[in-house]
């Protein structure tokens, strides 16, 4: 099938990696790039007992998520708070934030060393942590597959066999996958 995937944030990058080898053609429509962090554990197998525990013992999956989040948030202040002296001197956010930005930009560059257009298309124009960075499940490697195409744009409409972008580009497809976020409703 010819698939159009709309969205390239957390769900989108996971879906792209998962389906790229199962479809004839995958076109990813990306409104804006996101910061991706190297994730050496992407694709690592999970012990069967651990899976069973998360599925069958109340609150195990929430506990595991809290453990991961806690370790990630130990020193977020230096990454997310504006350091006024640093900003005045460099125009950046803070030494830690700028270091994360440089690491993420280097990560993009390392995947596409001979493709400046792809590097430009994948480089955000906002500071790291202005939006939640994404742990890369293999998205950049997926973009290198011959059946995968990345288009910067926004959806205007859909019809029976295509997606139409705001600039008028028509992308024919058999399937549309929307990975465009969601609203959680509490109460």
């Amino acid at each position: 099938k010819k698939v159009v995937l709309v969205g390239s944030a957390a769900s989108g990058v996971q879906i792209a990696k998962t389906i790229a080898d199962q479809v004839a053609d995958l076109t990813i429509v990306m409104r804006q790039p996101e910061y991706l962090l190297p994730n050496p554990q992407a694709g690592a197998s999970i012990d069967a007992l651990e899976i069973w525990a998360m599925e069958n013992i109340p609150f195990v999956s929430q506990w595991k998520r809290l453990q991961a989040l806690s370790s990630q948030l130990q020193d977020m202040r230096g990454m997310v708070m504006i350091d006024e002296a640093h900003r005045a001197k460099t125009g950046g956010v803070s030494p830690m934030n700028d270091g994360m930005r440089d690491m993420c930009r280097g990560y993009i560059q390392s995947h596409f060393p001979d493709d400046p257009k792809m590097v430009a298309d994948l480089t955000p124009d906002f500071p790291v942590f202005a939006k939640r960075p994404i742990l890369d499940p293999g998205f950049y490697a997926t973009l290198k597959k011959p059946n995968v195409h990345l288009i910067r744009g926004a959806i205007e409409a859909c019809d029976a066999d295509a997606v139409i972008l705001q600039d008028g580009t028509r992308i024919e497809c058999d399937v549309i996958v929307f990975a465009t976020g969601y609203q959680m409703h509490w109460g």
Side-chain angles (χ1 to χ4, degrees), residues 96-107:
M96 287 179 73
N97 188 286
D98 292 357
M100 291 291 289
R101 178 202 61 211
D102 294 345
M103 181 198 66
C104 290
R105 289 180 177 176
Y107 186 56

Side-chain angles (χ1 to χ4, degrees), residues 79-111:
M79 289 186 232
V80 300
M81 300 299 290
I82 295 172
D83 177 328
E84 295 297 344
H86 180 78
R87 176 162 274 184
K89 187 193 290 188
T90 68
V93 174
S94 70
M96 287 179 73
N97 188 286
D98 292 357
M100 291 291 289
R101 178 202 61 211
D102 294 345
M103 181 198 66
C104 290
R105 289 180 177 176
Y107 186 56
I108 297 168
Q109 185 67 43
S110 73
H111 279 82

Side-chain angles (χ1 to χ4, degrees), residues 61-129:
S61 59
Q62 292 88 344
W63 176 249
K64 292 193 69 54
R65 179 167 280 221
L66 179 63
Q67 286 177 315
L69 185 60
S70 173
S71 67
Q72 294 169 13
L73 296 177
Q74 291 300 315
D75 187 21
M76 290 295 293
R77 185 171 175 77
M79 289 186 232
V80 300
M81 300 299 290
I82 295 172
D83 177 328
E84 295 297 344
H86 180 78
R87 176 162 274 184
K89 187 193 290 188
T90 68
V93 174
S94 70
M96 287 179 73
N97 188 286
D98 292 357
M100 291 291 289
R101 178 202 61 211
D102 294 345
M103 181 198 66
C104 290
R105 289 180 177 176
Y107 186 56
I108 297 168
Q109 185 67 43
S110 73
H111 279 82
F112 305 99
D114 301 320
D115 192 345
K117 182 184 179 325
M118 185 67 86
V119 170
D121 283 347
L122 292 170
T123 301
D125 63 357
F126 52 85
V128 181
F129 298 107

